[in-house]
Amino acid sequence: MSFDKDVASRPQVEFGPCPADFPLDLPDTGARDPRALSAGGLCYWKSHARYDLTGPAPVHTSRTVMQVTGQDGLQTAGRFTTTFNPRFERLIIHAIRLHRNGSVRDVADPQAFEVIRRELNLERAVYDGHVTAHAVIPDVREGDVLDTVYSIVGANPALEGRFSWWFILQWAIPVVETRCTLVLPESRAITIRALGETTIKPDDTVVGGVRTLDWIARDLPPKLNEPGAPAHAVAYAASHGADAASWAEVAEVVRPWYEPADSLPTELEAAVAAIAAAAADPADRAVRGLRLVQGALRYHSVSIGDGGYRPRPVDQIWATRYGDCKDGSRLAASILRRLGLDAVCALVNTGQGEDLPNTPPNVLAFNHCVVRVRVKDRTVWFDPTMPVQAGDLGHLTQARFGHALPLVAGAELERMPDWPLTTVCETTEVWNLPRVSGASAELELTTVYRSWRADNMRSWAANQGAEKLERELREGLERELSSTLTAVGPVEIDDDIVGNRLSIKERYTVTQPYRTLRGADHVGFVSRDDVVGPALPDPGPDRRRQPLQLGAPRRVSSTRIFHLPSDQEIETWRDRLEGPGGMVLESGFEWKSRREGVHRLTLTIGQPELSPADQDRYRTFLDAARRTNGISFPAPYERIRGHGGGSGRWSWMIWPGLVLLFVAVRILAPG
């Protein structure tokens, strides 16, 4: 039902009239066919969101008008669901109306509403106190139009009334009209930023000291970010409004909460004193202090009330041995300060960090916290929520999120270091190949991980247990080689903690080292794709308009050493392909002796993303890389030889399209 009387209270859910100046007229659909405008059995005629800042508390009102056009739409249209935080927000249901054949039925029954405590991020160990209000709408049929209006009143007091609203004007599904309205006192200064390939300007009016900005988008085509686009790229129309402020003013809102503690708990003080006694070098102290936190804390976030923005006292963090990024960073900064280092907490955004300089300064611009540390004349960035990291200060993987806001007086955004170009993975395969058909081969595989790849693998290996680790390594390689493997001895792990280098050696007998070559009547060896396929993303079939994310700059290499049972007359070669973004693929084959050949493949990716202008060069590079990303040759017992000129080389180079058949990505660990 719609409510035209005083607000009727119900625990946590209220019912009351719609704001007087919020229009509830149904959109004029004319003769338009709702089925032609629908997706998933629903046609969305109107979406209207309004943020009102003129009262004692902010009011966010939302209205949706949708029509059921198919069976799939009944499930969505037949329920009302929204979330809110009852500690500082009120949910008011204004109207839920069902229109059918010219008649209107009020279906907002207060007794139908349930409030459910359902933590949306429970699997990530994050508890923020939000609840879900849910009601089932009875007797919804195809052709019905549902008109739903509700408001959420209030905001987290920890933000001290600071305003920031990021809203979408172009959806992934058809919406006939999207309207977003901002109402505020004329004297309140705000900053507006338009985003997306289509930008929409608001109608800006002032009446009686109240300013209203009204964005209206009609019949915009559905828009999604392109696959592989970085998080900071926005293709769909959107806008962001925030109070006009500097980053220094933003930092001052939360800075007092993150100040390092003046004193530490007795047990922690003793641990810090032990580090100070064992390490005189500030660089060594910094790394040991970070590892103390990483090793002691498990991730667990209780973000109820102001806990989403304010870290807990250091003595509580240490006593409970758990915390989120805020807690871990404050604890780490306190420890590092006691070790004589200049350490402060810093706010970052894990997905939008590159775009922060273009963002209106606001307190909601960040979703993560790290620590900035000055070590002599060097600035480093630590992430205490990471599993225990290896490496001295020169080899430890720093936090890299584009830009950070150190929580200091007069704060400004600070550029974090770019990823260094490092060889993060090197594999060496040594093959002893059989001469007789049906016989097994011997394979020794050594994989060397460095930098962040070493940290990831070290954490994964430590959590598997020896038996499971060996099984998963073997099964992963079996899928790539399309053959059963039998382990020859245990997996050997060599861990260089100081240099952050992890080596894993595996030994197997390979039941089927050869397979029938595509397009040929004989069998041969085909290498697995452990370089090009896992590292280079597909740009998609269409012309890209957004950047393509490549991941951290890195170098990956693979070496295959073949011990052959008979002489082979094969030419050597060396190729080099260059692409955009500092991409280089080098491949080659050479003879070390009459029966020992070595194939090498190295891929370098020099930057984290490619601009749309580079897409043609990238497609050309990717196609060429896929054709030369490995090696294939006839089984030695087939006695196939080259015949002079360049014909000897073809039997060693990958045939066009061959690798596409056998591409497999070896996944050894999450991330």
Side-chain angles (χ1 to χ4, degrees):
M1 62 187 67
S2 60
F3 289 83
D4 300 315
K5 55 183 180 296
D6 293 339
V7 172
S9 295
R10 173 182 168 88
Q12 296 184 313
V13 178
E14 302 172 19
F15 300 83
C18 192
D21 56 346
F22 191 90
L24 286 181
D25 54 311
L26 279 178
D28 182 7
T29 61
R32 304 185 72 173
D33 180 7
R35 292 183 182 276
L37 302 168
S38 67
L42 288 172
C43 170
Y44 287 87
W45 290 112
K46 187 165 188 172
S47 171
H48 187 184
R50 188 178 78 158
Y51 216 125
D52 188 346
L53 300 174
T54 59
V59 180
H60 185 224
T61 303
S62 179
R63 182 190 184 203
T64 303
V65 180
M66 58 185 170
Q67 185 169 3
V68 182
T69 59
Q71 285 287 324
D72 289 350
L74 292 173
Q75 185 68 19
T76 300
R79 66 175 184 259
F80 172 90
T81 301
T82 193
T83 61
F84 67 104
N85 195 319
R87 287 178 174 266
F88 47 79
E89 293 176 336
R90 296 162 50 216
L91 171 62
I92 303 176
I93 306 298
H94 300 304
I96 302 179
R97 295 173 173 148
L98 190 151
H99 298 256
R100 180 186 298 162
N101 298 326
S103 64
V104 181
R105 177 161 55 97
D106 295 323
V107 292
D109 182 2
Q111 299 305 315
F113 276 81
E114 298 289 342
V115 177
I116 306 166
R117 177 67 182 270
R118 178 174 176 268
E119 294 286 352
L120 299 180
N121 295 302
L122 182 65
E123 68 281 356
R124 297 173 49 226
V126 177
Y127 303 81
D128 60 13
H130 275 75
V131 298
T132 298
H134 175 80
V136 176
I137 301 173
D139 188 23
V140 179
R141 309 175 190 177
E142 287 190 48
D144 289 351
V145 175
L146 272 296
D147 188 358
T148 304
V149 190
Y150 68 93
S151 292
I152 293 179
V153 182
N156 195 322
L159 301 180
E160 298 182 358
R162 300 278 178 164
F163 163 72
S164 177
W165 187 28
W166 205 100
F167 53 90
I168 296 174
L169 294 160
Q170 187 176 23
W171 302 89
I173 58 175
V175 178
V176 176
E177 178 181 296
T178 298
R179 183 176 181 184
C180 295
T181 307
L182 175 59
V183 184
L184 70 163
E186 180 185 9
S187 59
R188 187 163 184 169
I190 60 168
T191 301
I192 301 293
R193 179 193 180 194
L195 301 99
E197 297 174 4
T198 300
T199 57
I200 297 173
K201 294 182 179 180
D203 180 22
D204 192 344
T205 60
V206 177
V207 177
V210 175
R211 183 183 181 190
T212 301
L213 293 99
D214 210 11
W215 290 261
I216 300 179
R218 293 189 177 93
D219 290 317
L220 288 183
K223 176 72 73 172
L224 280 172
N225 279 344
E226 294 173 340
H232 62 81
V234 176
Y236 48 86
S239 283
H240 183 193
D243 285 317
S246 66
W247 287 115
E249 291 172 310
V250 170
E252 284 304 313
V253 175
V254 299
R255 184 169 71 93
W257 305 338
Y258 289 81
E259 285 295 323
D262 294 329
S263 61
L264 301 178
T266 302
E267 181 187 4
L268 179 56
E269 190 72 68
V272 172
I275 292 176
D281 182 18
D284 192 11
R285 287 187 174 190
V287 173
R288 290 176 184 238
L290 172 65
R291 288 190 188 133
L292 174 61
V293 177
Q294 291 177 334
L297 245 58
R298 78 177 192 275
Y299 189 88
H300 186 90
S301 176
V302 180
S303 301
I304 296 173
D306 61 7
Y309 304 98
R310 183 196 297 264
R312 294 179 297 150
V314 167
D315 57 347
Q316 290 184 19
I317 301 169
W318 184 252
T320 58
R321 295 297 203 277
Y322 71 75
D324 58 12
C325 61
K326 304 181 298 297
D327 295 335
S329 293
R330 190 182 187 199
L331 178 62
S334 300
I335 290 171
L336 295 172
R337 284 277 187 93
R338 297 289 285 175
L339 290 169
L341 297 165
D342 178 4
V344 297
C345 295
L347 303 180
V348 299
N349 190 303
T350 56
Q352 308 285 337
E354 291 291 342
D355 192 52
L356 281 178
N358 305 314
T359 300
N362 70 95
V363 292
L364 299 180
F366 308 97
N367 62 3
H368 192 47
C369 187
V370 296
V371 179
R372 188 194 72 181
V373 189
R374 309 282 197 195
V375 181
K376 299 179 181 177
D377 58 348
R378 182 181 177 189
T379 299
V380 294
W381 303 85
F382 289 165
D383 188 343
T385 62
M386 295 290 292
V388 179
Q389 294 177 273
D392 57 17
L393 196 61
H395 293 91
L396 184 140
T397 302
Q398 294 188 48
R400 292 178 170 87
F401 298 110
H403 294 83
L405 183 66
L407 296 179
V408 297
E412 295 181 354
L413 285 181
E414 190 168 329
R415 177 71 189 181
M416 303 178 82
D418 294 328
W419 288 92
L421 184 57
T422 305
T423 300
V424 298
C425 183
E426 273 183 295
T427 60
T428 302
E429 299 177 6
V430 180
W431 287 89
N432 291 307
L433 293 170
R435 181 168 188 166
V436 180
S437 175
S440 299
E442 296 177 356
L443 169 62
E444 179 183 279
L445 171 62
T446 303
T447 309
V448 177
Y449 300 97
R450 296 183 179 85
S451 186
W452 50 272
R453 283 293 301 273
D455 283 330
N456 290 348
M457 286 301 302
R458 186 178 294 109
S459 177
W460 175 76
N463 286 284
Q464 298 306 303
E467 182 178 346
K468 184 177 180 182
L469 181 143
E470 294 187 359
R471 184 180 72 252
E472 293 196 5
L473 288 173
R474 174 178 51 77
E475 290 176 350
L477 194 56
E478 284 179 333
R479 289 190 294 269
E480 295 185 37
L481 296 176
S482 299
S483 173
T484 302
L485 305 180
T486 302
V488 180
V491 171
E492 298 177 14
I493 298 179
D494 181 21
D495 196 355
D496 175 6
I497 297 297
V498 175
N500 199 7
R501 176 186 181 276
L502 182 73
S503 173
I504 299 178
K505 180 177 288 188
E506 309 162 60
R507 296 184 181 88
Y508 304 102
T509 58
V510 183
T511 303
Q512 297 173 312
Y514 304 118
R515 67 189 75 177
T516 301
L517 298 179
R518 185 179 181 183
D521 58 358
H522 52 268
V523 298
F525 178 89
V526 179
S527 64
R528 63 194 178 106
D529 179 14
D530 59 339
V531 174
V532 172
L536 296 181
D538 194 315
D542 301 319
R543 301 287 300 178
R544 290 193 69 88
R545 299 175 63 88
Q546 292 184 281
L548 178 65
Q549 192 165 21
L550 302 174
R554 61 201 182 278
R555 184 176 292 111
V556 181
S557 70
S558 180
T559 300
R560 295 181 176 89
I561 302 171
F562 299 98
H563 296 147
L564 301 167
S566 60
D567 295 350
Q568 300 289 316
E569 297 175 4
I570 308 298
E571 293 182 2
T572 61
W573 84 85
R574 183 174 295 276
D575 287 334
R576 177 183 172 91
L577 300 173
E578 295 187 6
M583 292 184 186
V584 178
L585 180 67
E586 298 175 286
S587 66
F589 174 79
E590 62 180 335
W591 290 105
K592 290 298 185 181
S593 67
R594 292 176 60 186
R595 297 186 181 180
E596 181 180 344
V598 180
H599 171 251
R600 292 185 174 88
L601 188 69
T602 301
L603 175 65
T604 300
I605 299 176
Q607 61 189 47
E609 63 183 56
L610 290 178
S611 72
D614 287 327
Q615 66 170 310
D616 288 337
R617 287 186 61 204
Y618 178 66
R619 291 177 191 275
T620 300
F621 176 82
L622 181 59
D623 289 344
R626 286 172 173 172
R627 291 194 300 269
T628 59
N629 72 338
I631 189 168
S632 68
F633 55 89
Y637 55 80
E638 293 283 357
R639 299 184 180 279
I640 294 178
R641 297 285 193 269
H643 297 286
S647 61
R649 179 176 169 181
W650 69 264
S651 61
W652 281 94
M653 295 194 68
I654 205 73
W655 297 350
L658 184 61
V659 166
L660 296 180
L661 179 65
F662 301 107
V663 164
V665 178
R666 189 178 191 196
I667 302 176
L668 294 180

